[in-house]
Amino acid sequence: MCWGPVASRKSRILGLMPTSPTERPSVVRFTTGLAMMLAVAVALGVVTAGLAIPFAGVLGFGARDVARNMENLPSEFDEGSLSQRSRILDANGKTIATLYDENRVIVPLSQVSRTMTEAIVAIEDYRFYQHGALDIKGTVRALVTNQAQNGRVQGGSSITQQLVKQTLVQTATTEEGAAEATDDTYARKLRELRYAVAVEKEHSKDWILERYLNTVYFGDGAWGIQSAARHYFNVKAKNLDLAQSALLAGMVRNPTGYDPTNYPDRALERRSIVLNRMAQLGVVTQAEADQADGSGLTLRLRSVQNGCLNSDAPFFCDYVVSTLLKDPSLGNNAAARQDLITNGGLVIKTTVDLAQQGAADASVSAQVFPTDEAIGALALIEPGSGNVKALAQSRPMGTDKEAGQTFLNYVVPQEYGDSAGFQGGSTFKAFVLASAINQGIPLSTTFDAKPEMTFAQGDYANCPDAGNFVGEFPVGNSTSSGVMDVYRGTRESVNTFYAQLERETGVCAPFELAKAMGVNLDNPEGTGPGKLGAERVPSFTLGVPSVSPLEMAEAYSTFAARGLHCAARPVTEIADLKGNVLKSYDPQCTQVMPQSTADAVNDVLRGVIEPGGFGAALALDQPAAGKTGTTNSQFTVWFSGYTPNLAGAAMIAGANIEGTPISLQYQTVGGSYVGEASGSGFAGPIWGNAMQAIDDSLDYVDFVPPSSTDVAGVQVPVPDTDGISIADAQAAIEAGGFVFAYGGRDDARRGERGTVAYSYPSAGAGAQAGTTVTVYESRGRSGRG
């Protein structure tokens, strides 16, 4: 490693300046210091393996035994990797969170100011560039000087020895290992010295000094010189001035005791010692030292928050960390991945958009308060990429439950946030809708959706080899009833309509489609004798499975992307601090339905937001579509909506302080009393207010119109039955794939009695297969009875 600007002044640090007569110690002090030196020499006085320790015999140690012990110690030292903090960046490169066990940023020696390197060498090991692993001359002088002045003024251990000790302490994985690394024993000193010899043999002095400056602790959570410079003075290490350098150099021996944030007077005294030592060695002039000594601390503290708690997007940050902890490519187990994330100096580039995150946060917090017995949440995701743009929830991150704080992430799937989710309600009708279109059921299909109906579960096809459903289930409407087509049945979210539509599609198709679109359905048949929590059931269309807002946003983004499902993607790549890409996370996308199916779904769901739909008040400045959802007993309300370029799912779920589901009805949520909860009236505004704040920044894109076949079905000409017998007409109509109906006699029409006067739809008209064709009988040529 190149020494850089320090090389030109290195010689000024190396010489020993004479002590003035008035500073010379008394004979008593000198004698005491010499005795101490002898004791330390016994423990540390080996320069290389095989050389006797000076004075070993004086205190009873055999030089040969000590040398033998040295030979038995390891001859190599593994410095390991220094822990470095990792950063999580938003989509535009702004840091949203910092993760670390030790707040450290490694810098090369060339990026450390000359005064800083001079200050640390002057006070800790002024003969660093002259001696080997052990500086006997420096140790003798330090012992004598320190003893003479009744305190520790000069360092005794070399910088290399200190580096070894620091490394052993920091790499210890147990309390016993850390204690062993700091034991004040002969064995520890001997082992430390042997390692120091190995380090000096393997590395240059510049490398050792660089490593030392990046390793040592500077107090108040700052590890290494770069973090210390940033923390105390808000400058880079290369820009540290003389006063700042002296202060930091003085802290190394006792980072807690000389911490200027807690003990400013001690820190200043220690800085004075460093400055005087630098002047004594000729590193700086006395005038320069005095000028620096006359300045105050001039701290400009800059704290680096650790973890997601104080992030601009705390629950998104939490989701990122949880996602990476499950990535096997980052380590063999969770502990290894955690270590890499917090100590690996990673730059984690994510997809979050802080403008959209701010809009989501503001909308959620306006609708649901932290201490409400309800949870509001919103997830935003980009169609066609899966990029997660925002995650917001009403309960903030923290430990104060009384203030509504929590560490449960209610916005993401359980495997990432520990919340089991909430029932999806009528938002699941969209999966049945898409399955019906896939199966060729036209949007013009009508059902008589009575206010209450009971359905035989055996009429609903299950997946192959999964067995038949048994029993009945009642369904009631909470909106409207009557004969209606798919557009109206969806726009008004009519339960009995969709129960009939799912009877046509079967349960398997919408269940499997929902899974393909990103809904985590992993309990199709339930658990135990009672099949608790079964998800693949005839009531699937009513949204009985529990889901998270992110899952629903991901699923509905598939419609927006014309059937292209892209898995939620919070991270785009991981790089090191030098910008080298370590891993890229490409979009994971699969076409899960024909584009024409998605186009038809979009055409139906945009009716929910247009005039006449339940979500009409949520209209944006560009085309949008969506679906409301309300669960039984009003435990949860939803609104899942999207434009062609941004999808979101909003949820309000009744939940007590522990997160246990309760009904929203008769509660006060966001300052408003809830007499009757609905997706459009409560969850809808969360989505709508956020999207209205965002949509001006989105490109205007319209949905692709559906094909006429999907809307009206395949058109087949109605058979010509005029003038033939009723029986023959019925046979012809049924052979054409239509349903025959007898409309009675039409006295206004003449023809042979018993023959068809006309039909509706009329002969030759186009109609979809399954359409009812009604025939009317002629009254006879005479016009009589």
Side-chain angles (χ1 to χ4, degrees), residues 282-546:
V283 177
V284 297
T285 66
Q286 190 63 53
E288 290 173 325
D290 291 343
Q291 182 179 10
D293 201 20
S295 64
L297 287 174
T298 62
L299 300 179
R300 295 177 58 198
L301 295 175
R302 178 177 179 267
S303 296
V304 177
Q305 300 291 344
N306 188 12
C308 296
L309 183 61
N310 297 294
S311 170
D312 289 334
F315 287 102
F316 176 84
C317 171
D318 176 77
Y319 173 51
V320 166
V321 174
S322 295
T323 300
L324 297 180
L325 285 175
K326 294 184 181 298
D327 184 348
S329 70
L330 301 182
N332 293 329
N333 52 53
R337 296 164 205 152
Q338 179 73 54
D339 182 66
L340 176 63
I341 293 168
T342 53
N343 298 308
L346 305 179
V347 179
I348 302 165
K349 300 179 181 181
T350 75
T351 58
V352 68
D353 183 313
L354 289 185
Q356 295 186 16
Q357 180 68 48
D361 286 331
S363 185
V364 170
S365 62
Q367 296 294 322
V368 186
F369 299 158
T371 56
D372 289 344
E373 287 205 311
I375 297 164
L378 175 63
L380 298 176
I381 195 168
E382 182 180 71
S385 70
N387 290 347
V388 181
K389 309 305 287 186
L391 298 176
Q393 69 179 47
S394 59
R395 292 186 180 177
M397 185 175 286
T399 58
D400 189 350
K401 283 188 176 181
E402 296 301 320
Q405 295 178 356
T406 182
F407 281 100
L408 288 178
N409 191 337
Y410 290 98
V411 199
V412 299
Q414 184 173 10
E415 62 181 307
Y416 300 111
D418 295 326
S419 168
F422 299 89
Q423 288 186 326
S426 293
T427 55
F428 273 48
K429 289 173 180 171
F431 305 130
V432 175
L433 170 62
S435 298
I437 297 168
N438 275 339
Q439 295 176 17
I441 299 174
L443 302 180
S444 57
T445 299
T446 60
F447 294 112
D448 184 2
K450 295 180 173 62
E452 293 183 357
M453 300 178 70
T454 299
F455 296 90
Q457 296 194 60
D459 292 341
Y460 291 78
N462 200 348
C463 290
D465 301 323
N468 298 323
F469 298 112
V470 295
E472 297 179 335
F473 70 106
V475 178
N477 296 333
S478 59
T479 55
S480 61
S481 303
V483 177
M484 59 189 70
D485 62 9
V486 174
Y487 282 95
R488 183 185 167 197
T490 306
R491 185 173 65 246
E492 299 177 6
S493 195
V494 181
N495 291 340
T496 58
F497 179 92
Y498 263 87
Q500 293 178 80
L501 184 60
E502 188 188 38
R503 188 168 56 189
E504 299 298 316
T505 66
V507 177
C508 188
F511 179 85
E512 293 298 330
L513 181 59
K515 287 177 62 177
M517 294 172 68
V519 180
N520 296 336
L521 300 170
D522 55 8
N523 190 24
E525 297 182 358
T527 56
K531 297 187 175 182
L532 296 177
E535 297 166 334
R536 195 179 62 218
V537 290
S539 56
F540 178 82
T541 190
L542 304 180
V544 294
S546 293

Side-chain angles (χ1 to χ4, degrees), residues 50 154 194 393 487 505 576 637 679 750:
Q154 297 178 22
R194 186 68 183 91
Q393 69 179 47
Y487 282 95
T505 66
D576 62 20
V637 292
R750 295 185 179 184

